[in-house]
Amino acid sequence: MNRVTLLAATALVSGMVAPGAARAQAAASEQVPSAAPAVATDREEAPAEVVVTGSRIVQPAYDGVIPGAQVSGEQIQRRTFTNALDALTDVPFVTAGANPYGGNGEGESLGQAYADLFGLGSNRTLTLVNGRRYVSGNSASLFVAGNTTGSQVDLSTIPAALIDHSDVVTVGGGVAYGSDAVAGVINIVLNDHLEGFSLNALSGLTARGDGARYRLSAAAGHDLAGGRGNVSVALEYDRDDALYQSDRAGYRAHYLAPTSFRNGGVRNAAYVPTLDGSGGSAFVARAADKVPNNIAGAGYRGGSLLTTYNGAVFSYDAPGYLGGYLPADFQGLTTTDPNDPVASPDYRPEALWTMAGNTNLVPGRPVASGSRCSVANLSSFCAFAPDALPGTRASAEAGAARDAFDAAVIARYAPALAGAGGSTSQRDALALNLLQANLPTPREYLKAHPGADINAFIGSFVRGFLTRANTDPATAGALPRLAVPLQFDAAGGLRAITVAVIADPSVTPSTTAGAIS
């Protein structure tokens, strides 16, 4: 039997009779000049059957020099693709626009699937069905992730069981179809001679046992009038279970690389107290201590108060002048996002804007606040190594107090330099280095007092938490305040929470947006 292939346009409507003969006649009348020579060469035996491709674009996988690709229905079944988008995106230059995968969290776009050639925008890729424009599935909503204005075709509305093949052409579509086809044309050709009944069931899981996918499809068709028409019906049910980051242990544990408490806390073993500073400084400069700014690779899991606990409670005087953002008559507590931790257990609110996100709760370097330094304290001076001297030289009285403080420090820790003179800046620098060389950092103090309550460090060094007096006689002198970390529970009550657990003061980090061990 001789077959003459004509390049023409057809349309197939699933579920109703499609008058194939009429289409073929219309197509043939449009293509008489090209078809006539083929018929004229074989007048003795007229063609018994005319096959219409249903596409105005060439078969890109076989004909011409235009870059393109073809995905057959057999490939779709063999590769167990559950929808047209998955099959098309298997072609390297076909990407996905709005789609139900990835980080797409907008409810309006769930289930929608748009093709996007070369990533130029789904509105620049024209999708045809049987060579004709198809009804657009674009919801024209600003809230559809990855969506753009245009006449995009929702590929999820095309039954994969009815697809005979898909042609993808990347050049020349704009000439025939306009700006919709600047990136190219995708023509999905349906099987318009489906005979019989088929039933397919598919299910699968990821290698980790999650992200389940199910597909149940049924298709039936029958030719009418000797093949001049066909009625086809296809039903499909697809379900892709959502896979959230919190479903994976690594993301749920929030592994991260918190800032290192040791950065800037390396002591200079070669330090020698001198008035002119030639002996160096008590600590190696942060830029030269060879300690990374972040602790990476240790597998610490997130658990800071600000990023893990919904409804975490803070005091009114939280840092950052929170009071300036609240009504003048405000009284009470402030909190992070108060979402129900039972209904939304995986929600992670953003850190409270009034508190630095990576503040070390127990620093390993000289501290700015909580050092308990005072120019009036001429005996113990400070509880911890300070990063600056107390007081100022803004007035003659303040300058005299600073001079007395410097003299007491130098007399205590470097008596050979007492009365050596020098400028005020030289004496200030010497006094600061002497305090840093002889007083512990908070981490060193914790290592020497392993039983100290971590909340005592938080209450003494980090503002914003509710606190009470530290009644532990062993640590109250250095750490006078004890933080009381609280959280609103689902019922609106308050419960105590753990901000940080430092298993080993030498290695375990603890930052407000860092980690607990």
Side-chain angles (χ1 to χ4, degrees), residues 52 80 186 207 217 287 350 358 365 499:
V52 181
T80 64
I186 296 174
S217 67
E350 294 182 359
N358 232 343
R365 54 178 176 262
V499 180

Side-chain angles (χ1 to χ4, degrees), residues 387-412:
D387 71 346
L389 291 177
T392 67
R393 292 188 178 277
S395 64
E397 182 178 2
R402 171 70 71 78
D403 287 337
F405 183 83
D406 288 350
V409 171
I410 295 171
R412 170 74 63 83

Side-chain angles (χ1 to χ4, degrees), residues 346-484:
D346 301 318
Y347 182 78
R348 296 292 183 269
E350 294 182 359
L352 191 67
W353 77 89
T354 56
M355 184 172 292
N358 232 343
T359 301
N360 272 288
L361 302 177
V362 184
R365 54 178 176 262
V367 292
S369 60
S371 60
R372 296 188 58 75
C373 289
S374 171
V375 291
N377 182 358
L378 301 181
S379 55
S380 59
F381 311 115
C382 309
F384 299 96
D387 71 346
L389 291 177
T392 67
R393 292 188 178 277
S395 64
E397 182 178 2
R402 171 70 71 78
D403 287 337
F405 183 83
D406 288 350
V409 171
I410 295 171
R412 170 74 63 83
Y413 297 119
L417 298 177
S423 66
T424 55
S425 60
Q426 288 178 328
R427 293 194 302 271
D428 284 348
L430 175 59
L432 177 60
N433 275 295
L434 288 172
L435 291 174
Q436 292 179 347
N438 291 277
L439 296 176
T441 65
R443 280 283 172 160
E444 292 170 338
Y445 184 91
L446 177 59
K447 193 171 183 178
H449 300 79
D453 192 335
I454 300 302
N455 285 333
F457 291 89
I458 298 172
S460 300
F461 295 121
V462 184
R463 291 182 56 202
F465 292 91
L466 301 178
T467 64
R468 63 176 176 82
N470 182 8
T471 58
D472 181 3
T475 60
L479 305 167
R481 304 298 298 177
L482 192 73
V484 185

Side-chain angles (χ1 to χ4, degrees), residues 77 161 196-202 215-220 235-236:
Q77 299 301 323
F197 176 80
S198 66
L199 178 66
N200 277 308
L202 174 70
R215 179 197 177 201
L216 181 64
S217 67
L235 298 174
E236 287 192 358

Side-chain angles (χ1 to χ4, degrees), residues 253-254 256 258 300-310 312 314 336 347-352 355-359 361 458 465 485 487 497-501 509-517:
H254 191 41
L256 44 75
Y300 299 111
R301 67 180 179 87
S304 73
L305 182 70
L306 299 182
T307 58
T308 300
Y309 294 107
N310 304 319
F314 294 87
T336 54
Y347 182 78
R348 296 292 183 269
E350 294 182 359
L352 191 67
M355 184 172 292
N358 232 343
T359 301
L361 302 177
I458 298 172
F465 292 91
Q487 173 197 28
I497 52 179
T498 301
V499 180
V501 176
S510 63
T511 58
T512 50
I516 60 176
S517 64

Side-chain angles (χ1 to χ4, degrees), residues 122-505:
S122 58
N123 59 331
R124 296 294 175 244
T125 297
L126 180 63
T127 301
L128 307 176
V129 175
N130 286 343
R132 295 181 180 272
R133 290 182 180 267
Y134 197 69
V135 177
S136 173
N138 193 344
S139 59
S141 171
L142 295 175
F143 302 101
V144 176
N147 190 18
T148 52
T149 302
S151 56
Q152 297 91 317
V153 172
D154 184 359
L155 296 175
S156 63
T157 64
I158 302 175
L162 286 182
I163 297 177
D164 182 78
H165 65 273
S166 299
D167 298 328
V168 184
V169 172
T170 60
V171 177
V175 176
Y177 297 102
S179 61
D180 286 353
V182 167
V185 180
I186 296 174
N187 183 49
I188 298 175
V189 181
L190 303 182
N191 184 354
D192 58 359
H193 283 284
L194 179 64
E195 279 284 349
F197 176 80
S198 66
L199 178 66
N200 277 308
L202 174 70
S203 65
L205 297 170
T206 69
R208 300 191 181 186
D210 50 18
R213 169 176 277 191
Y214 311 93
R215 179 197 177 201
L216 181 64
S217 67
H222 182 66
D223 280 341
L224 302 175
R228 296 180 180 181
N230 180 272
V231 59
S232 299
V233 177
L235 298 174
E236 287 192 358
Y237 172 78
D238 290 302
R239 173 178 170 180
D240 295 329
D241 285 352
L243 180 59
Y244 300 104
Q245 285 187 347
S246 57
D247 292 335
R248 295 287 176 88
Y251 286 104
R252 183 171 60 249
H254 191 41
Y255 291 105
L256 44 75
T259 56
S260 174
F261 60 85
R262 291 190 297 268
N263 190 225
V266 177
R267 290 189 176 276
N268 182 7
Y271 169 65
V272 176
T274 59
L275 191 62
D276 61 4
S278 59
S281 57
F283 284 87
V284 179
R286 294 180 62 178
D289 62 6
K290 298 182 180 180
V291 175
N293 188 55
N294 295 85
I295 303 174
Y300 299 111
R301 67 180 179 87
S304 73
L305 182 70
L306 299 182
T307 58
T308 300
Y309 294 107
N310 304 319
V313 178
F314 294 87
S315 64
Y316 174 74
D317 65 345
Y321 305 102
L322 181 61
Y325 297 94
L326 298 173
D329 57 350
F330 175 84
Q331 294 182 1
L333 307 171
T334 60
T335 179
T336 54
D337 192 288
N339 278 12
D340 184 346
V342 176
S344 304
D346 301 318
Y347 182 78
R348 296 292 183 269
E350 294 182 359
L352 191 67
W353 77 89
T354 56
M355 184 172 292
N358 232 343
T359 301
N360 272 288
L361 302 177
V362 184
R365 54 178 176 262
V367 292
S369 60
S371 60
R372 296 188 58 75
C373 289
S374 171
V375 291
N377 182 358
L378 301 181
S379 55
S380 59
F381 311 115
C382 309
F384 299 96
D387 71 346
L389 291 177
T392 67
R393 292 188 178 277
S395 64
E397 182 178 2
R402 171 70 71 78
D403 287 337
F405 183 83
D406 288 350
V409 171
I410 295 171
R412 170 74 63 83
Y413 297 119
L417 298 177
S423 66
T424 55
S425 60
Q426 288 178 328
R427 293 194 302 271
D428 284 348
L430 175 59
L432 177 60
N433 275 295
L434 288 172
L435 291 174
Q436 292 179 347
N438 291 277
L439 296 176
T441 65
R443 280 283 172 160
E444 292 170 338
Y445 184 91
L446 177 59
K447 193 171 183 178
H449 300 79
D453 192 335
I454 300 302
N455 285 333
F457 291 89
I458 298 172
S460 300
F461 295 121
V462 184
R463 291 182 56 202
F465 292 91
L466 301 178
T467 64
R468 63 176 176 82
N470 182 8
T471 58
D472 181 3
T475 60
L479 305 167
R481 304 298 298 177
L482 192 73
V484 185
L486 298 174
Q487 173 197 28
F488 287 112
D489 60 22
L494 289 172
R495 64 180 179 185
I497 52 179
T498 301
V499 180
V501 176
I502 300 180
D504 184 348

